[in-house]
Amino acid sequence: VTRGRTVSRVAGLALRAGVDLVLLTGSEESSESVFRALLGQVSDGAVSAASLRRSYDRVLALKRDLG
């Protein structure tokens, strides 16, 4: 539910709130748009690269643990 916000904005808010994995539906084009917006938020400092790295590490650990 975006409640008048863009999907890119909501994805950024989710990452800042501590979500480790953002799942998107729709076209490859819309997913690419969100991805680029998130990269911009990292570049701007709105989303920290360190928090993304911690999320990445947790997702990889989960994949490893689940086989």
Side-chain angles (χ1 to χ4, degrees):
V1 175
T2 59
R3 296 187 182 181
R5 299 179 187 113
T6 66
V7 174
S8 298
R9 173 85 172 124
V10 172
L13 291 170
L15 292 180
R16 287 193 295 275
V19 170
D20 288 332
L21 186 63
V22 176
L23 300 176
L24 302 169
T25 62
S27 69
E28 186 176 336
E29 201 171 81
S30 65
S31 294
E32 178 72 19
S33 175
V34 172
F35 177 72
R36 293 207 180 281
L38 291 174
L39 287 179
Q41 291 180 34
V42 173
S43 294
D44 295 344
V47 175
S48 88
S51 70
L52 285 181
R53 181 59 190 199
R54 288 189 298 271
S55 289
Y56 173 79
D57 291 341
R58 285 190 295 267
V59 170
L60 281 184
L62 182 62
K63 286 179 69 171
R64 182 182 56 247
D65 293 347
L66 294 176

